[in-house]
Amino acid sequence: MNEKEYISSGILELYVYGALSKSESAEVTRMLKKHPEMRAEVEEIEEALMKLSEAAAPSNREFLLAPLKEKISQRSRNIPVRNKRTNWSALLGWAASILLLVGLFLMFKNNSELKESLQALQAENAQIESEIAEARNDAAKSRELLSTLRDRNILKVPLEGQEIAPEAYATAYYDDEKDLTLIDAQNLPEPPRGMVYQVWSLKMSPLVPSSLGLLDDFEEDEDKIFVLDNPNISEGFGITLEPAGGSETPTMEMLYSLGTVTS
């Protein structure tokens, strides 16, 4: 073979990959000393492999793989065929290049799948952490409610159903020292769309209602226990159904439950 045929045969790739026998490798070394063009080709192959080995997670894979693809394409077009004899060295060089390319693609694919699995695991962990934090908050809220309900100074005020909803029932837990009132609204019907329950502190003689607030998110609240600030001296409590946002004064025809404080 002349110098160009020797380069296109694929033997130089096998030489760089270390796939030749000792005698074949020695022959290539001898040829390299005689032919500068062959030495330049070997250096080019070694440089391409060095770039690929350093690209463990490349941002532009096609940029790095394109030269190798082109070289493989050239080798496949330039394999010399003489007298119907198979040039095994050229085929082995071409096959080694293909295997290297396939290996690199598999490495990139595995890296991508590993990143996706890691991202999914991180999202799952974040969800679990959020659920744990929510459970802790719920537990803290439950302990706080139990502590308030068990306070010896708290007064339990039954709020009976009124004419519009005789079956309705609620309970007010009144602590005038802490300026708090808890409303257990478990037995109130769900308010219609666009309506909201509003709680009133009452002075009885004469009747003076003061709004304590709204029972917002009634449907979503599973416990139906609401904590309201109450700086008033309350003699009774009432719950009315009002338009969303509440009212300045109670709508008496929409009075759902009512009860008075007894010492």
Side-chain angles (χ1 to χ4, degrees), residues 185-223:
Q186 185 68 49
N187 294 301
L188 290 180
E190 289 192 4
R193 183 181 297 273
M195 304 294 286
V196 63
Y197 286 118
Q198 189 166 356
V199 181
W200 305 89
S201 170
L202 305 175
K203 289 281 290 185
M204 304 307 293
S205 297
L207 181 61
V208 179
S210 300
S211 176
L212 297 184
L214 307 176
L215 306 186
D216 289 322
D217 300 324
F218 188 90
E219 297 86 349
E220 288 77 17
D221 195 309
E222 295 182 1
D223 298 327

Side-chain angles (χ1 to χ4, degrees), residues 123-134:
E124 183 178 353
N125 287 342
Q127 177 64 26
I128 292 173
E129 290 174 0
S130 175
E131 292 174 356
I132 291 174
E134 184 177 352

Side-chain angles (χ1 to χ4, degrees), residues 136-190:
R136 287 175 177 171
N137 289 336
D138 290 342
K141 179 182 176 181
S142 298
R143 288 193 297 269
E144 182 179 354
L145 288 175
L146 284 175
S147 176
T148 301
L149 294 176
R150 290 169 178 170
D151 193 300
R152 62 185 299 175
N153 295 318
I154 200 163
L155 297 176
K156 179 179 179 180
V157 183
L159 307 181
E160 303 292 344
Q162 301 301 297
E163 183 177 353
I164 191 173
E167 73 286 356
Y169 180 81
T171 303
Y173 294 90
Y174 175 44
D175 189 337
D176 60 347
E177 292 185 359
K178 295 181 180 179
D179 293 338
L180 288 177
T181 295
L182 278 69
I183 300 296
D184 182 356
Q186 185 68 49
N187 294 301
L188 290 180
E190 289 192 4

